């Protein structure tokens, strides 16, 4: 595991426990991450991502994770009579993995530079596109508003990461950003990892949310256990190389994407539950990911 992940998380937990900080600190950090840092990261990475036939496997794997989470959330939500907001949180937070900030260093440590190339495709063409499209739609549908096609479309097209994604695809034939912008945008995007994990640490409360045990368990179990198992079954029949298969499963086993939990919180979708699923999953993933790696290596 990358020490940066653990250090930033612990710093946030320590700050919550021992320091006082402004009430608006967490919303302010979230605003920076979604509006500035994440778009900058997308603009610097997407234009340089190469797509071929085999690269569709990790992309499809990330869609399996999201669509599976959505199906599980809807079915169990109906059985247990969850409010729409709870269903949305489970689908959004448990459906999109932290395939970059946790995924990149973990995959690189396990599979080297070749594995990292697969991870970038899974993340940039898979997770980020899901977040910017269906993720925004789920957020709109479950936010308590009366959803309309116009409202959902407006939320999608005004979502800063989606705008960055469109710009990235537009400049891809040109080779991406000019060099004088590539470096500063990359440096701004690099603030996402430490700030996001610090912010997660600030919000981690291991006390389960009142009345939220079933969605908490559902979200964590799906993301860390069931989702990678489903992805493993998919990649086995895909005909992809062993490296692509293993990296895709490991990316499917990542804890929830921090940006997805931030989106749920900003939309008012049970922020305590969103933070709980994210917090428990991140901590437990330090156990489950090495287990998945061991199983894949057998």
């Amino acid at each position: 595991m990358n020490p940066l992940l653990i250090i930033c998380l612990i710093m946030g937990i320590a700050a919550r426990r021992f320091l006082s900080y402004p009430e608006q600190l967490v919303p302010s950090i979230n605003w920076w991450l979604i509006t500035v840092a994440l778009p900058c990261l997308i603009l610097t990475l997407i234009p340089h991502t190469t797509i071929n036939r085999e690269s569709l496997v990790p992309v499809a794997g990330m869609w399996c994770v999201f669509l599976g989470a959505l199906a599980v959330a809807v079915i169990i939500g109906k059985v247990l009579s969850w409010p729409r907001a709870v269903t949305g949180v489970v689908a959004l937070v448990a459906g999109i993995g932290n395939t970059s900030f946790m995924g990149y260093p973990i995959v690189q440590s396990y599979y080297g530079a070749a594995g990292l190339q697969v991870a970038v495709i899974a993340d940039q063409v898979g997770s980020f596109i899901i977040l910017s499209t269906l993720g925004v739609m789920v957020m709109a549908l479950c936010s308590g508003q009366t959803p309309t096609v116009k409202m959902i479309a407006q939320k999608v097209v005004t979502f800063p990461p989606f705008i960055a994604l469109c710009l990235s695809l537009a400049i891809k034939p040109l080779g991406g950003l000019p060099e004088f912008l590539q470096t500063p945008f990359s440096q701004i995007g690099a603030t996402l990892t430490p700030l996001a994990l610090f912010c997660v640490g600030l919000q981690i409360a291991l006390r389960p949310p009142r009345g939220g045990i079933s969605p908490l368990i559902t979200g964590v179990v799906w993301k860390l256990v069931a989702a990678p198992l489903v992805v493993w079954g998919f990649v086995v029949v895909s005909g992809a190389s062993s490296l692509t298969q293993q990296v895709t499963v490991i990316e499917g086993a990542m804890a929830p994407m921090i940006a997805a939990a931030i989106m749920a919180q900003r939309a008012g979708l049970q922020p305590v539950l969103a933070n709980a699923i994210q917090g428990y999953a991140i901590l437990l993933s330090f156990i489950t990911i090495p287990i998945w790696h061991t199983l894949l290596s057998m």
Side-chain angles (χ1 to χ4, degrees):
M1 292 287 185
N2 190 330
L4 177 64
L5 305 178
I6 301 173
I7 291 171
C8 292
L9 193 65
I10 291 175
M11 287 177 65
I13 295 172
R16 174 188 174 92
R17 177 67 178 83
F18 300 110
L19 302 176
S20 61
Y21 52 87
E23 184 178 343
Q24 289 301 309
L25 179 60
V26 170
S28 297
I29 293 176
N30 287 347
W31 179 90
W32 170 267
L33 296 177
I34 292 294
T35 309
V36 181
L38 184 55
C40 284
L41 194 67
I42 293 172
L43 284 166
T44 57
L45 291 179
I46 286 283
H48 304 285
T49 302
T50 302
I51 306 298
N52 54 38
R53 184 173 181 179
E54 178 148 325
S55 66
L56 295 177
V57 172
V59 173
M62 300 309 100
W63 278 96
C64 286
V65 175
F66 180 79
L67 294 176
L70 183 60
V72 167
V74 170
I75 293 171
I76 296 182
K78 285 185 177 296
V79 172
L80 300 181
S81 301
W82 290 348
R84 180 186 292 180
V86 171
T87 300
V89 165
V90 174
L92 190 60
V93 179
I96 307 177
N98 197 334
T99 48
S100 56
F101 317 120
M102 291 185 70
Y104 289 176
I106 291 172
V107 167
Q108 188 171 29
S109 68
Y110 286 153
Y111 304 105
L116 183 59
Q117 292 178 359
V118 179
V120 169
I121 293 171
D123 177 63
Q124 298 298 307
V125 189
S127 299
F128 270 136
I129 291 179
I130 294 170
L131 175 74
S132 302
T133 53
L134 258 66
V136 176
M137 292 181 188
V138 169
M139 181 180 69
L141 287 167
C142 298
S143 63
Q145 302 172 341
T146 302
T148 64
V149 173
K150 180 180 179 181
M151 182 195 75
I152 294 173
Q154 185 176 24
K155 284 184 177 292
V156 171
V157 300
T158 58
F159 185 51
F162 180 78
I163 296 172
L165 176 63
C166 293
L167 290 174
S168 297
L169 296 175
I171 64 177
K172 186 175 177 62
L174 305 176
L177 293 170
E179 187 59 36
F180 75 93
L181 290 179
Q182 177 74 15
T183 299
F185 273 47
S186 178
Q187 291 171 338
I188 293 171
T191 65
L192 200 151
T193 300
L195 278 177
L197 285 166
F198 176 78
C199 193
V200 169
L202 279 176
Q203 300 173 84
I204 282 182
L206 295 183
R207 181 179 303 168
R210 181 176 299 177
I213 297 297
S214 62
L216 172 61
I217 293 175
T218 300
V220 172
V221 171
W222 167 259
K223 190 68 202 72
L224 301 184
V225 180
L229 190 60
V230 169
V231 173
W232 197 352
F234 163 73
V235 299
V236 165
V237 300
S238 69
S241 67
S242 175
L243 177 65
T244 297
Q245 291 186 29
Q246 292 187 47
V247 173
T248 302
V249 174
I250 288 295
E251 286 285 68
M254 292 297 156
M257 180 187 282
I258 295 168
I262 292 172
M263 280 175 56
Q265 293 170 18
R266 290 185 65 187
L269 299 182
Q270 299 285 326
V272 175
L273 176 61
N275 179 62
I277 294 174
Q278 178 183 240
Y280 274 93
I282 287 176
L283 295 176
L284 290 173
S285 70
F286 290 111
I287 300 172
T288 58
I289 291 174
I291 291 175
W292 281 111
H293 176 248
T294 300
L295 292 173
L296 290 166
S297 302
M298 293 175 63

